[in-house]
Amino acid sequence: EDQVTQSPEALRLQEGESSSLNCSYTVSGLRGLFWYRQDPGKGPEFLFTLYSAGEEKEKERLKATLTKKESFLHITAPKPEDSATYLCAVQGAGSYQLTFGKGTKLSVIP
Amino acid sequence: NAGVTQTPKFQVLKTGQSMTLQCAQDMNHNSMYWYRQDPGMGLRLIYYSASEGTTDKGEVPNGYNVSRLNKREFSLRLESAAPSQTSVYFCASSEGGTANSPLHFGNGTRLTVT
């Protein structure tokens, strides 16, 4: 059974204070690891897909990395508009289903 | 470009009532999905449709039925609502079912069953 654990559950940062969110996973044959951003009252919004260990992807202040057991979402010099819940999900071999973590709620204080 | 549109946005039902949640996408995607999101839990797949004319059960299908009406539309029906079905329901679509085609989500239907 695929499993995803995200930590911490919540994170408060001062504006400009860089940090990282963690996503630990177990999956049979990783096809992809996904990061989504979810704002209150909205559906998740796709950020990145990572396919293999060592891969990195960047978008503005966000950088996602992947190892064989976990992924990190690094946030550099965050701004208040980066406040959201960040979701991690994995897709295993031969499956249409994504297994989602519970998310990390990020708050960036001005 | 509307993306994925869900109706209604909010709904309150009494136990035993039935309703259908509607979802439409305008991205010409082949695959569509219904998820539920509950506090303290990750998104869980209810049903999905890999392509027009096919539907399959996800992780939590009990108490639900689905219809892939055409390529654009995928509806979720609750035949006899129960309080345990109080949740936020999200519809999503993707070009295909592979990791190369990420999910695009609607903004959800917030359902309360009393």
Side-chain angles (χ1 to χ4, degrees):
Chain A
E1 180 181 335
D2 300 342
Q3 290 188 331
V4 175
T5 303
Q6 292 188 246
S7 61
E9 291 185 10
L11 181 63
R12 287 171 60 94
L13 298 174
Q14 292 292 322
E15 184 172 1
E17 179 187 5
S18 301
S19 188
S20 298
L21 312 182
N22 179 262
C23 171
S24 297
Y25 67 92
T26 56
V27 65
S28 298
L30 180 69
R31 295 179 68 183
L33 183 141
F34 304 82
W35 283 99
Y36 287 84
R37 168 192 171 126
Q38 186 174 21
D39 293 301
K42 302 290 187 181
E45 176 185 350
F46 171 72
L47 293 173
F48 304 108
T49 306
L50 301 168
Y51 297 100
S52 58
E55 188 174 3
E56 299 181 352
K57 288 193 176 174
E58 289 188 65
K59 180 179 180 179
E60 296 181 355
R61 295 175 293 282
L62 301 177
K63 178 180 178 180
T65 62
L66 181 65
T67 73
K68 289 185 178 180
K69 293 184 178 181
E70 57 192 350
S71 176
F72 292 94
L73 185 65
H74 307 277
I75 303 174
T76 302
K79 298 182 178 181
E81 54 262 42
D82 294 322
S83 297
T85 296
Y86 290 85
L87 304 176
C88 175
V90 296
Q91 184 178 24
S95 174
Y96 265 79
Q97 300 195 32
L98 297 190
T99 299
F100 281 85
K102 297 178 182 180
T104 293
K105 183 176 182 180
L106 174 67
S107 301
V108 182
I109 313 303
Chain B
N1 189 347
V4 178
T5 302
Q6 294 184 235
T7 56
K9 293 183 179 180
F10 301 93
Q11 184 70 49
V12 179
L13 292 178
K14 294 184 178 179
T15 297
Q17 288 185 319
S18 62
M19 79 161 294
T20 299
L21 283 64
Q22 306 287 352
C23 174
Q25 53 91 9
D26 62 3
M27 296 173 282
N28 201 36
H29 284 170
N30 291 309
S31 301
M32 297 186 73
Y33 311 79
W34 278 104
Y35 283 85
R36 62 178 287 174
Q37 187 174 44
D38 301 293
M41 302 189 74
L43 285 155
R44 291 181 293 169
L45 183 64
I46 304 171
Y47 271 93
Y48 67 97
S49 171
S51 60
E52 187 178 356
T54 69
T55 60
D56 284 287
K57 295 179 180 180
E59 180 184 356
V60 288
N62 291 344
Y64 305 95
N65 285 300
V66 291
S67 296
R68 182 76 182 266
L69 304 171
N70 47 56
K71 190 171 185 178
R72 291 185 64 247
E73 298 173 287
F74 189 38
S75 63
L76 179 72
R77 182 160 179 85
L78 287 69
E79 291 290 352
S80 179
S84 61
Q85 294 178 305
T86 293
S87 188
V88 182
Y89 292 86
F90 288 100
C91 178
S93 69
S94 66
E95 285 189 21
T98 69
N100 291 322
S101 54
L103 300 179
H104 296 259
F105 286 86
N107 284 326
T109 293
R110 284 144 187 83
L111 175 66
T112 302
V113 183
T114 62

